Amino acid sequence: MPDSPSSLPVIVSGIQPSGTLHLGNYLGAIRQNIALANDEAARSEAFLFIVDYHALTTLRDPEALRRYTMDVALDYLALGLDPDKASLFVQSDIPQLTELTWIFLCLTPSSQLEKGVSYKDKVAQGLTANGGLLTYPILQAADILAYTAPGRGLKVPVGADQKQNLEISRDTAGRFNQAYRPEDAPLFPLPDPHILDEVSVIPGLDGRKMSKSYDNTIGIFDEGKALKKKVMSILSDSTPLEAPKDPDADHTFALIRHFATDDERAEIAAAYRAGGYGYGHAKKALLGMIDRHFGEARERRRALAERPEHVRDILQAGAEAARARASEVMAEVRDAVGFLNA
Ligand code: TYM
């Protein structure tokens, strides 16, 4: 039985404008975000945002931040997000989020923040451990919970690397409800992560998780020579061309599986196993599939890039809708915590 409209969830998801978006972002999150946002039968509303407050934890180049922020908006729109169906906006246009973050932080044991995987990773990579990095997951909890609508769930499409952050968001919602609404109906629902197993961790050129910080990415909008160079550099083992190969152990095939049709996938897997099919062949096939998959989006992106004012208008309209919801939620939060003027 289809869900009744009132029980359909609100879709919320964020992306950092801290570099050029890559196939991991696309397959792990953006593709689902767009599909869910555009599917009016599957959700009540959708808030998709570009998290520039979060990017400040690692990026100190104002020009780059502005450029990457516009780039994420262009990418989303070129990839098919319909701005009439979802609110697309920039996080820093919603100042309520910093207030909500503060209120949540006052409920968060600092030991939980110190155990944050991305905090620990970044510190291990030698990045300065600023307070923003430490408290990052609580800003993310505010990002999600600020768009709560009465009687609805919050569904958050993300890659597997966001699992812990989503657990912290759930803990934060629970802590707030427990502290301020122990008897009443809880103010916040526990957000529901939507992680698709088959794309939860997309490997990069070296087989590790595709990530800006490992410099092993293929950009969503890479094309021509630059794209070819990257695809040809995907790490492969030294099995000779004639020998049979295991497609499931190969990083090129790990990407082919997401861009191939079912028939192509079966055919190429059989060719790997039969032998006489080299990694070079597989890489050429992948290149063709990427060109086919993103061909139209590349054209749309070029056209949109000529109209930055139009893109800014879309972001403004998205921010207005997001601020309207966030201020309703903040009025309840301010009242619940005991501020004199809620
Ligand atoms: P970010 O900007 O690092 O990544 C954006 C999305 O892409 C997914 N992703 C991947 N999925 C599969 N394989 C990969 N190799 C891969 N690399 C990235 C991420 O899981 C993510 O879904 N903290 C978040 C941003 C954020 C957010 C939010 C997300 C802020 N507030 C609220 C959801 C809801 C982040 O750093 O994503």
Side-chain angles (χ1 to χ4, degrees), residues 6-338:
S6 65
S7 66
L8 290 172
V10 179
I11 306 296
V12 244
S13 197
I15 296 198
Q16 289 199 66
S18 51
T20 304
L21 296 188
H22 53 73
L23 296 182
N25 299 130
Y26 176 69
L27 296 168
I30 297 176
R31 184 146 81 164
Q32 285 76 258
N33 294 353
I34 294 179
L36 284 166
N38 285 355
D39 181 0
E40 281 168 307
R43 84 320 177 257
S44 59
E45 21 172 20
F47 294 95
L48 301 181
F49 35 88
I50 306 169
V51 296
D52 53 351
Y53 284 145
H54 278 117
L56 276 189
T57 59
T58 52
L59 188 64
R60 294 240 170 99
D61 176 342
E63 277 317 308
L65 183 60
R66 264 187 281 276
R67 190 173 67 246
Y68 291 142
T69 302
M70 271 304 269
D71 278 350
V72 178
L74 283 170
D75 289 356
Y76 252 126
L77 296 167
L79 290 166
L81 180 73
D82 178 347
D84 292 332
K85 294 190 174 161
S87 301
L88 176 68
F89 59 96
V90 179
Q91 183 188 39
S92 61
D93 282 339
I94 321 299
Q96 288 89 345
L97 297 175
T98 52
E99 184 182 12
L100 188 55
T101 301
W102 178 254
I103 292 169
F104 285 161
L105 274 174
C106 294
L107 293 167
T108 309
S110 38
S111 58
Q112 182 173 37
L113 299 175
E114 280 150 14
K115 283 188 222 132
V117 176
S118 19
Y119 171 71
K120 286 199 301 190
D121 277 0
K122 284 178 181 155
V123 173
Q125 286 167 37
L127 291 164
T128 317
N130 59 51
L133 272 181
L134 183 66
T135 53
Y136 181 116
I138 305 303
L139 174 58
Q140 182 158 344
D143 257 349
I144 295 170
L145 297 167
Y147 307 111
T148 296
R152 298 183 198 275
L154 289 164
K155 186 167 179 168
V156 191
V158 280
D161 59 347
Q162 296 300 309
K163 235 180 214 163
Q164 190 195 42
N165 283 340
L166 264 291
E167 273 158 27
I168 297 176
S169 292
R170 290 170 67 87
D171 288 349
T172 303
R175 273 191 200 113
F176 185 96
N177 294 336
Q178 188 57 37
Y180 294 114
R181 291 288 188 100
E183 313 297 335
D184 287 348
L187 204 160
F188 293 117
L190 303 189
D192 181 18
H194 177 71
I195 300 174
L196 297 183
D197 278 347
E198 69 280 11
V199 289
S200 63
V201 184
I202 299 296
L205 301 177
D206 56 1
R208 292 187 292 172
K209 179 191 127 180
M210 189 177 286
S211 166
K212 287 164 260 195
S213 31
Y214 296 149
D215 196 19
N216 66 353
T217 63
I218 299 177
I220 301 176
F221 287 96
D222 282 349
E223 57 181 316
K225 274 196 190 138
L227 175 64
K228 185 168 180 191
K229 196 167 160 214
K230 285 195 181 171
V231 169
M232 291 302 163
S233 76
I234 297 174
L235 189 71
S236 42
D237 63 28
S238 52
T239 317
L241 190 138
E242 318 75 55
K245 301 172 188 66
D246 177 5
D248 297 325
D250 179 42
H251 306 318
T252 304
F253 192 79
L255 291 172
I256 287 180
R257 69 167 65 250
H258 301 297
F259 294 107
T261 63
D262 290 347
D263 286 351
E264 287 168 344
R265 193 178 310 117
E267 218 171 273
I268 294 176
Y272 267 75
R273 294 197 178 95
Y277 186 83
Y279 293 121
H281 296 125
K283 289 174 183 177
K284 281 214 181 85
L286 173 61
L287 201 54
M289 288 172 192
I290 293 177
D291 282 337
R292 175 181 72 191
H293 191 88
F294 293 111
E296 284 174 21
R298 287 174 188 158
E299 292 311 315
R300 279 198 295 268
R301 197 180 190 290
R302 272 191 271 276
L304 274 166
E306 304 280 313
R307 303 171 63 206
E309 287 313 315
H310 172 64
V311 176
R312 279 174 177 271
D313 287 347
I314 291 173
L315 294 173
Q316 283 293 346
E320 263 167 47
R323 274 194 302 268
R325 170 60 47 78
S327 33
E328 282 166 25
V329 170
M330 280 317 292
E332 291 208 50
V333 168
R334 290 173 62 97
D335 179 51
V337 303

